[in-house]
Amino acid sequence: MMQSRSHHNLTFSRLTEVPLETLVEHMSDPRVARHMPLLSQPWDVDAAKHFVAAKEVSWQRDGLGHWAFLQDGHYVGWGGFQKEGAEWDFGLVLRGEAFGLGLAITNAALNFAHADARIPFVTFLLPPSRRHLGALARIGAELVGEVPYETARFLKFRLDTPCPATPPTLRN
């Protein structure tokens, strides 16, 4: 478990520690579904079970994956790093009542990325329905362009996250 250092009392845990019913409730919220074009079918416990199993495969294969985000021990969302080809993509899916925690969680995750030599940069894929993108600009992420992913199109951003121990010639 990764403890973030912020006043929000955030912890990063494995998705296996979250009750499947909690994930179903989260992913069934219309406020969440509005910005998830790949969420094409209702979630049930079986869908949640398959989702968690797929995320655990990423941990086993890549040594990193999606976390459950907890505030004061209560589940507020999921996300983290997922290997997409040679790139590490960062995703964040918060419960409606936790939307205000996005920046704190992202900062904690990016601190992790900066300390991990495997992650020289991070990408972010956001659906075009997301209109408030100022936070990405404030952290230094740059728009790469619009890209297809599975059955939808996304806006792709990139943020360099060179590890301080990485020699400058390897950062590009």
Side-chain angles (χ1 to χ4, degrees), residues 20 23-24 41-53:
L20 295 174
L23 292 171
V24 170
Q41 297 184 10
W43 269 48
D44 57 17
V45 171
D46 195 48
K49 188 183 305 182
H50 283 79
F51 169 78
V52 171

Side-chain angles (χ1 to χ4, degrees), residues 4-162:
S4 70
R5 300 188 198 311
S6 79
H7 64 281
H8 295 289
N9 196 23
L10 297 170
T11 52
F12 292 15
S13 196
R14 291 296 269 272
L15 284 165
T16 53
E17 297 181 32
V18 177
L20 295 174
E21 295 79 10
T22 300
L23 292 171
V24 170
E25 178 188 340
H26 176 200
M27 297 305 290
S28 298
D29 184 335
R31 295 172 294 178
V32 172
R34 178 177 358 159
H35 297 297
M36 296 191 72
L38 299 178
L39 183 63
S40 59
Q41 297 184 10
W43 269 48
D44 57 17
V45 171
D46 195 48
K49 188 183 305 182
H50 283 79
F51 169 78
V52 171
K55 297 308 180 187
E56 283 299 302
V57 167
S58 294
W59 277 98
Q60 294 165 8
R61 181 188 60 230
D62 303 322
L64 190 56
H66 285 128
W67 293 290
F69 301 123
L70 309 174
Q71 181 185 37
D72 296 323
H74 300 284
Y75 173 80
V76 294
W78 62 268
F81 300 102
Q82 181 167 307
K83 192 90 170 183
E84 297 291 344
E87 301 177 345
W88 287 99
D89 185 69
F90 178 75
L92 177 62
V93 181
L94 295 175
R95 295 180 87 154
E97 59 273 14
F99 283 170
L101 293 174
L103 186 57
I105 291 170
T106 299
N107 283 335
L110 291 176
N111 286 339
F112 177 91
H114 279 288
D116 191 320
R118 297 175 295 175
I119 309 174
F121 64 92
V122 173
T123 61
F124 304 85
L125 296 178
L126 283 91
S129 64
R130 296 291 306 266
R131 298 288 180 215
H132 303 289
L133 305 173
L136 284 173
R138 285 191 294 280
I139 64 172
E142 296 181 2
L143 179 64
V144 173
E146 193 171 308
V147 298
Y149 185 82
E150 294 186 20
T151 60
R153 297 196 66 73
F154 290 85
L155 300 174
K156 182 176 182 177
F157 293 81
R158 176 184 162 136
L159 174 68
D160 289 334
T161 56

